[in-house]
């Protein structure tokens, strides 16, 4: 069987770090094996470093990134709670859907796509929400929002309100400082800047959010109390089996986090910055127009307006001729925006030069 | 870093088929890549063969086995529905919990652990349930129940009642015939007889169950309507992105299913039967007493009463001296029962001889 070898420069998954791929193929361990539990503990420790948190409740959930969003609302929305959601792209939109399913009274604050979240408008939307939710790095638009500013403003007004942040496309690529910012609930995915295959959702919860959680959420699989008894040990100290952990994926995340911390977080962020700026400068030099607002562009995910060509044809040509995947846009921007990700192991200058060169060939020759 | 190489003879995970491990390390594909969608389609086709079904709605869900149980109840329990659950072990017990969370009025039919499900008692428990649920192969006890008999009896009395079966420890190891038996909703896990790492839950739904599903379930991540639009294509025929599929895990399942179908389902079942009977005969020859009732013992998972030794010490010795993992019991049987799995790639005579020899050394020397 011939294996297709793609360069994954879309909005994720990205090509994993080599260490992550090697760990996937290592001998499997049982989910209760002391050797595996050591790997799990170390994975949670490494996640704390990357999240910038001391939260005891920091763990990888057993599903892809979206399961993080589901767990966040399922465990912290009490029916009737007011949840203010900043919507500036698809994932804010999705938060509205998920929060509503768990019985929230959702107050949505719509922004134009490509714009960052406006802290003052979010504050003004409701005087005493239970939860204020926003996306740090909008995967649909390539725009970064200032979660630190938002969290500080929310807590300054009302210290009971919880701040919930989607960090799926930010964790491991740009700075995330859960404790310093005062974020209470956050989740991510492994297939973006963390450089692992999709399949896990890193999750973290502050002590005050933990104390305010729904004691028995409608979901069994994502009941954080029960999961915590396995991952961190229960009240009696011992670990209680909940569900069989995806051991191979956790070993892979463990290896990728080891690689990231060996390189150093600051160096990893600088690498994302360098590669992202190179591709953004190069696209502009080609005469293309970037989509996300200047000053809020994510280095790891660049959005660019499609010039006068057929978007799908260009993407198909990139895939067929060069084995390069880039993403189309989302919703009304499906055929007018391209999304180019330089995430994790792909956040390198050689990837930036490659996509610029390939696009030049396909679009201008 | 030294890698620990275990022989996983517990209740799962088991050591994956070599083809499954190789596929985990293959180059990653994007979840919307035509090459990946071909792999996904073929995986669903192969799952249909293994399930014994023509159900269009047959797919791998993005979580470990328990997410299958969650999806089953979340998508098919309308609040207030009467759900009859046959409880003859931990997983029947869990069904009661999950069904209750989704608003079911649960009628539980308790059996002694180790016994198979008693069709007549389940029928007698309620005259017109919406759903009748039972576990095919109870992972906690090693007991097999006759799901075909149960389904036929339920449908004969009331053709609107749905039959829901947990096949986590049966699929790929013993015969499962969804269509012939008349099962409406069933789920499994990859880490048992399918010979893949944990991380996916194969799922199948009959047309009549599909028509009766909850249109907008409380869970977004497991909303089968939305997932179906990605996996099988929506009403318009096109595929709609839902969540990023765990592509590496799906490639691995695809490879394991290919291996299973190349070997032939009947040959695979015979291999499980041969290895399982050998270990059961060998344990009895050693003077040990099997736990599950004779006539209903699973070949792939053997339960045995712990003789006059400390259960935990024996298990630790097996792990430390021979790198062999076996399972303890569950609940009240935690320290009085061992669970020995010969599943998937481990369903081989050499594994049976190995565990018999090792146990003999540890228990009797």
């Amino acid at each position: 069987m011939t294996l297709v070898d793609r360069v994954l420069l879309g909005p994720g998954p990205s090509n994993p770090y080599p260490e992550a791929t090697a760990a996937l193929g290592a001998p499997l361990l049982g989910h209760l094996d002391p050797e595996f539990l050591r790997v799990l503990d170390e994975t949670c420790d490494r996640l704390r470093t990357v999240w910038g948190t001391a939260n005891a409740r920091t763990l990888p959930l057993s599903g892809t990134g979206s399961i993080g969003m589901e767990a966040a609302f399922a465990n912290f929305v009490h029916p009737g709670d007011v949840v203010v959601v900043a919507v500036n792209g698809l994932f804010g939109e999705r938060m509205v859907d998920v929060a509503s399913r768990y019985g929230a009274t959702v107050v949505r604050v719509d922004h134009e796509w490509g714009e960052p979240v406006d802290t003052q408008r979010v504050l003004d939307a409701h005087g005493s929400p239970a939860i204020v939710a926003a996306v740090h790095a909008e995967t649909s638009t390539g725009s970064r929002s200032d979660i630190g500013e938002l969290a500080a403003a929310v807590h300054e007004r009302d210290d009971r309100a919880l701040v919930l942040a989607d960090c799926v496309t930010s964790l491991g690529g740009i700075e995330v400082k859960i404790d310093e910012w005062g974020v209470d609930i956050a989740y991510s995915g492994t297939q973006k800047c963390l450089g692992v295959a999709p399949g896990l959702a890193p999750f973290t919860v502050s002590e005050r959010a933990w104390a305010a959680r729904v004691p028995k959420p409608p979901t069994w699989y994502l009941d954080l109390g029960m999961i915590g008894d396995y991952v961190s040990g229960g009240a009696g100290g011992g670990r209680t089996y909940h569900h069989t952990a995806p051991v191979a994926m956790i070993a892979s995340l463990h290896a990728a986090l080891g690689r990231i911390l060996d390189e150093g977080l600051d160096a990893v962020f600088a690498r994302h910055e360098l590669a992202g700026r190179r591709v953004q400068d190069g696209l502009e030099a080609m005469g293309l127009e970037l989509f996300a607002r200047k000053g809020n562009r994510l280095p790891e995910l660049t959005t660019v307006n499609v010039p006068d060509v057929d978007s799908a044809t260009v993407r198909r040509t990139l895939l067929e001729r060069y084995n390069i995947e880039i993403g189309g846009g989302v919703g009304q921007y499906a055929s007018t925006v391209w999304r180019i990700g330089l995430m994790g192991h792909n956040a390198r200058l050689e990837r930036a030069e490659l996509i610029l060169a390939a696009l030049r060939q396909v679009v201008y020759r």
Side-chain angles (χ1 to χ4, degrees), chain A residues 32 37-38 40-41 229-234 237-241:
Chain A
L32 298 171
L37 295 174
R38 193 184 55 72
L40 178 59
D41 286 344
D229 287 349
Y230 165 67
V231 177
S232 330
R239 295 179 191 254
T240 316
Y241 161 68

Side-chain angles (χ1 to χ4, degrees), chain A residues 13-221:
Chain A
S14 58
N15 298 94
Y17 285 114
E19 293 85 348
T21 302
L24 266 184
L28 203 68
L29 294 172
H31 57 292
L32 298 171
D33 190 314
E35 283 295 317
F36 173 71
L37 295 174
R38 193 184 55 72
V39 169
L40 178 59
D41 286 344
E42 215 166 80
T43 302
C44 295
D45 280 343
R46 292 175 181 181
L47 282 175
R48 282 183 197 97
T49 305
V50 178
W51 279 116
T53 187
N55 287 338
R57 306 288 170 174
T58 301
L59 74 176
L61 293 176
S62 308
T64 55
S66 302
I67 215 171
M69 188 189 289
E70 181 107 34
F73 290 104
N75 283 276
F76 298 96
V77 171
H78 299 258
D81 273 358
V82 171
V83 176
V84 172
V85 179
V87 180
N88 65 336
L90 178 72
F91 293 89
E93 193 71 57
R94 182 175 295 179
M95 282 178 164
V96 172
D97 185 353
V98 176
S100 307
R101 291 184 193 230
Y102 287 99
T105 300
V106 175
V107 178
R108 55 184 293 161
V109 184
D110 280 289
H111 297 67
E112 203 166 326
W113 282 34
E115 293 293 309
V117 170
D118 181 327
T119 293
Q120 193 57 49
R121 288 187 54 224
V122 174
L123 273 189
D124 292 346
H126 195 279
S128 57
I131 298 177
V132 175
V135 177
H136 184 211
E138 243 301 345
T139 319
S140 61
T141 69
S143 183
R144 178 199 329 224
S145 292
D146 191 337
I147 298 296
E149 178 191 272
L150 178 69
V154 168
H155 291 318
E156 191 180 359
R157 185 177 65 181
D158 175 0
D159 63 9
R160 289 157 314 172
L162 300 176
V163 173
L164 188 165
D166 177 316
C167 299
V168 170
T169 298
S170 56
L171 195 69
I174 58 175
E175 199 166 70
V176 174
K177 294 197 164 293
I178 294 299
D179 289 358
E180 190 180 314
W181 293 350
V183 172
D184 296 289
I185 304 155
Y187 55 87
S188 188
T190 46
Q191 75 274 19
K192 316 270 185 181
C193 302
L194 292 171
V196 182
L200 293 173
F203 198 91
T204 188
V205 189
S206 70
E207 285 306 317
R208 54 192 227 101
W210 186 252
R213 77 185 189 280
V214 177
K216 188 173 178 174
T219 161
W220 181 93
Y221 187 74

